[in-house]
Amino acid sequence: MSTKTPSKLEEILTAGHLAVTSECGPPRGSDPEDITKKAEMIRNHVDAINITDNQTSVTRLCSLAACVHLKMMGIEPTLQMVVRDRNRIALQSDILGAASFDIHNILCLSGDHQQFGDCPKGQNVFDIDSMQLIQTVRLMRDEGKFLGGDEIKRPPQMFVGAAANPFADPFEIRVPRLAKKIAAGVEFIQTQCIYNLDKFELWMKLACDRGLHEKVYILAGVTPFKSAGMAKYMKNRVPGMDVPDEVVKRMSGVPKEKQAEEGINICVESIQRLKEVEGVRGFHIMAIEWEEKVPEIVERSGLYPRPDIS
Amino acid sequence: MIRSITQQKPEEEIDQLLNGLGRVFMIGCGTCATLTHTGGEPEVKAMKENLSGKGKLVTGEMVLPVACDNLTAEALKEHGAQIGQSDVLLIMTCAFGVQTIARQLEKMVVPALDTLFIGKETGLGRFDEICTQCGTCILGETGGICPVTSCHKGLVNGPCGGTSNGKCEIDSEKDCAWTLIYNRLKELNRLDAMRKLQKPRNHQGEPSPGKFKLSA
């Protein structure tokens, strides 16, 4: 398969390597070091770094500016873009802005509802949805056109991604929804954090049965637990998250000072098992405010060194 | 029947809006605000007592049969003298009623209620917003359930990743619209409708503020 964009992530996946991506959350302030320090910790262990877009609806430094910081460091960014806060004019405008810095990966998302964040009284936008954002980027890239039909000078060249959550219900809808995103034009998927491996494997099998794994690169999402408390929180409080009881039990079963290590162990074991699952083409490691552990996870999972592609 | 769903403003806000205005005429509504127990006879009476207790002079009160109706002009005339003696009208109707009344009289109006949405009584004392009058109806493809209104994100291409036990990620009391749509389409053997990629919505259907004129 040949690549359609200058994206390094796309090239690595197309070459048949297991890709490794991670993410950095921008700061609640304007100090660029908050981003560059995190990125520096993981740059040699991942192929691209996602920058989240006001995740959990908490106001932060914008994803685009943070991506530019990565770009200036010579790191490949993935611009996360939610449709919660901007209408179709602003979204297309920011896509062009990113393209002007040669940002070559984009992740198209709905975005958490603003009720979760620091401005619950604010108005959401949702002028278009994540499905339509995928179509928009593809239209801009492949046909060189705006949604309004006019021509774009120097169209964006972006490898187009989206999220998938195999664990939200109804479960029966989740594979057809992946198929719909593929029909919309998505090229890579980063999944919700996987803790229920059995369920993920079932989802993946149903996707493979429909041949979807040959139409999209699926990166399995993982997040290490720092503590038993975090496991319980993710289980009970985070929407669309599936943390089986035995995982919480395993975290709670070790003394507090050993829990972080156990969290890393679980993460590494998950990656090792998921490597064997048909259709898994890489990993998206979301070490929330724990970026310093990413290199260890990547190395222990046998995913290091990263392929040298320039 | 569609209803205008209201809730009473916080007492402090009403006090602040009436600050310095000693003589108050009060108006309730016999339709929606009576149904929601926000502006019927009992609520107007309670508000009157409350205001009197705070030293306001209530020059009179009335509960209009249908505050948003054009006949409201006639009904208000019957209380012309009492209204004339007041500094302000405290109106316990939805904002349709407040604006209908404001157009008739040369008086400052103070709404005592906040208008939440146009909805339907779907159970005893329970009201749901089921249509936002978006101007570009897609009910024909969603089994008669409106995701534009019933999904907190107004998503038209299926659910987000936050559905939990059939409920919305932001409120475990609210059904996920797309779970309802999925179940309905499944019953109707029309799940294929969910595969259709809906285009970006046409907000120009009738841009807000809406205005519509029947053609001759």
Side-chain angles (χ1 to χ4, degrees):
Chain A
M1 243 198 294
S2 66
T3 57
K4 295 179 191 144
T5 73
S7 160
K8 187 175 95 176
L9 178 62
E10 184 187 13
E11 196 176 349
I12 285 171
L13 286 163
T14 307
H17 300 289
L18 280 174
V20 178
T21 58
S22 187
E23 68 170 31
C24 291
R28 303 207 68 206
S30 63
D31 188 349
E33 278 200 9
D34 288 336
I35 305 147
T36 55
K37 271 187 185 162
K38 284 181 182 176
E40 203 57 58
M41 286 178 208
I42 62 177
R43 65 179 301 161
N44 296 323
H45 287 79
V46 300
D47 305 319
I49 299 176
N50 288 37
I51 300 286
T52 49
D53 180 5
N54 296 296
Q55 73 273 23
T56 64
S57 308
V58 172
T59 314
R60 292 170 182 277
L61 187 146
C62 72
S63 177
L64 176 51
C67 284
V68 172
H69 285 294
L70 295 195
K71 198 74 196 178
M72 291 192 304
M73 297 167 73
I75 298 173
E76 175 149 306
T78 296
L79 177 76
Q80 292 199 185
M81 186 174 269
V82 303
V83 295
R84 177 191 60 226
D85 308 321
R86 282 161 290 186
N87 71 4
R88 61 193 88 177
I89 300 171
L91 292 168
Q92 292 179 97
S93 169
D94 282 357
I95 290 165
L96 289 186
S100 76
F101 286 99
D102 290 326
I103 289 166
H104 296 310
N105 305 305
I106 185 168
L107 193 76
C108 304
L109 304 166
S110 311
D112 294 311
H113 195 273
Q114 73 276 10
Q115 182 150 315
F116 295 108
D118 65 339
C119 294
K121 292 180 181 170
Q123 169 72 60
N124 61 33
V125 180
F126 295 113
D127 180 23
I128 62 173
D129 60 28
S130 58
M131 206 71 79
Q132 294 159 350
L133 181 61
I134 295 166
Q135 290 179 305
T136 302
V137 187
R138 288 294 302 263
L139 173 78
M140 293 174 77
R141 183 189 83 189
D142 299 343
E143 295 178 39
K145 283 188 175 157
F146 290 107
L147 279 174
D150 293 341
E151 199 178 312
I152 300 172
K153 289 179 190 151
R154 192 179 185 265
Q157 291 185 288
M158 289 179 174
F159 186 41
V160 182
N165 185 0
F167 309 107
D169 60 292
F171 180 68
E172 315 89 271
I173 225 173
R174 296 296 151 184
V175 172
R177 185 155 172 80
L178 173 67
K180 193 169 180 177
K181 286 191 176 178
I182 294 169
V186 79
E187 296 164 315
F188 73 98
I189 291 286
Q190 292 171 324
T191 76
Q192 174 69 285
C193 318
I194 302 163
Y195 299 107
N196 186 341
L197 279 81
D198 294 339
K199 196 163 194 180
F200 176 78
E201 284 171 354
L202 176 62
W203 177 80
M204 203 62 238
K205 185 187 174 301
L206 294 169
C208 290
D209 288 347
R210 291 178 61 161
L212 300 180
H213 64 309
E214 284 162 0
K215 296 179 180 163
V216 69
Y217 297 106
I218 295 174
L219 310 189
V222 292
T223 292
F225 290 132
K226 262 182 178 172
S227 64
M230 176 181 172
K232 283 179 203 152
Y233 180 83
M234 298 273 260
K235 180 184 175 67
N236 299 322
R237 305 296 292 274
V238 181
M241 193 72 75
D242 181 348
V243 185
D245 288 331
E246 57 267 28
V247 179
V248 177
K249 225 187 240 170
R250 182 169 161 189
M251 286 298 294
S252 312
V254 296
K256 242 191 171 128
E257 64 279 9
K258 294 263 183 193
Q259 284 178 355
E261 194 186 327
E262 193 67 1
I264 302 288
N265 290 340
I266 293 173
C267 187
V268 170
E269 288 165 31
S270 298
I271 293 176
Q272 277 161 346
R273 177 167 154 190
L274 291 167
K275 273 163 108 176
E276 306 303 321
V277 176
E278 186 186 11
V280 171
R281 303 296 301 272
F283 295 92
H284 181 50
I285 304 169
M286 296 165 273
I288 305 159
E289 296 303 317
W290 210 18
E291 286 79 5
E292 67 268 27
K293 289 291 175 185
V294 170
E296 181 187 336
I297 294 168
V298 174
E299 287 177 21
R300 285 181 55 196
S301 305
L303 294 165
Y304 188 79
R306 301 306 311 144
D308 184 17
I309 285 180
S310 50
Chain B
M1 194 184 278
I2 68 165
R3 298 288 184 191
S4 187
I5 309 306
T6 50
Q7 74 180 8
Q8 193 174 312
K9 281 182 177 290
E11 197 174 331
E12 313 79 72
E13 188 182 344
I14 296 173
D15 288 348
Q16 189 257 320
L17 287 164
L18 293 178
N19 191 23
L21 301 166
R23 301 162 72 90
V24 183
F25 185 84
M26 299 174 50
I27 302 173
C29 177
T31 312
C32 305
T34 292
L35 184 79
T36 52
H37 304 294
T38 47
E41 296 275 2
E43 294 78 39
V44 171
K45 189 164 172 281
M47 179 67 81
K48 182 184 178 183
E49 279 169 21
N50 186 312
L51 292 182
S52 301
K54 287 176 178 166
K56 302 281 184 196
L57 176 72
V58 176
T59 63
E61 80 269 9
M62 68 185 297
V63 174
L64 290 160
V66 188
C68 60
D69 192 277
N70 285 341
L71 291 174
T72 286
E74 300 305 314
L76 289 170
K77 278 182 195 154
E78 291 170 21
H79 291 75
Q82 291 170 317
I83 290 171
Q85 290 162 9
S86 67
D87 301 323
V88 65
L89 307 176
L90 180 68
I91 305 182
M92 299 176 71
T93 75
C94 75
F96 290 87
V98 176
Q99 296 191 46
T100 304
I101 294 162
R103 283 181 197 183
Q104 310 298 332
L105 303 168
E106 297 284 315
K107 284 274 175 197
M108 276 301 286
V109 291
V110 165
L113 311 181
D114 285 318
T115 305
L116 302 177
F117 55 87
I118 304 304
K120 192 172 168 55
E121 188 170 28
T122 51
L124 192 62
R126 184 192 150 151
F127 305 92
D128 284 306
E129 185 176 19
I130 57 172
C131 173
T132 38
Q133 291 108 3
C134 73
T136 47
C137 192
I138 60 164
L139 286 170
E141 291 163 305
T142 56
I145 296 163
C146 177
V148 173
T149 307
S150 302
C151 166
H152 273 286
K153 298 177 183 174
L155 302 179
V156 293
N157 273 303
C160 71
T163 321
S164 187
N165 300 316
K167 301 293 178 183
C168 177
E169 67 178 17
I170 80 153
D171 188 343
S172 59
E173 298 290 309
K174 283 186 185 164
D175 292 323
C176 164
W178 277 101
T179 302
L180 296 179
I181 292 168
Y182 172 79
N183 290 338
R184 175 71 60 83
L185 291 174
K186 197 173 167 185
E187 266 171 32
L188 299 172
N189 202 22
R190 282 300 311 277
L191 280 177
D192 58 296
M194 282 188 75
R195 278 203 288 276
K196 180 178 172 190
L197 283 161
Q198 294 284 353
K199 291 203 180 89
R201 281 165 53 202
N202 174 11
H203 291 281
Q204 216 177 14
E206 178 50 39
S208 183
K211 207 173 189 70
F212 187 74
K213 195 163 183 276
L214 280 178
S215 46

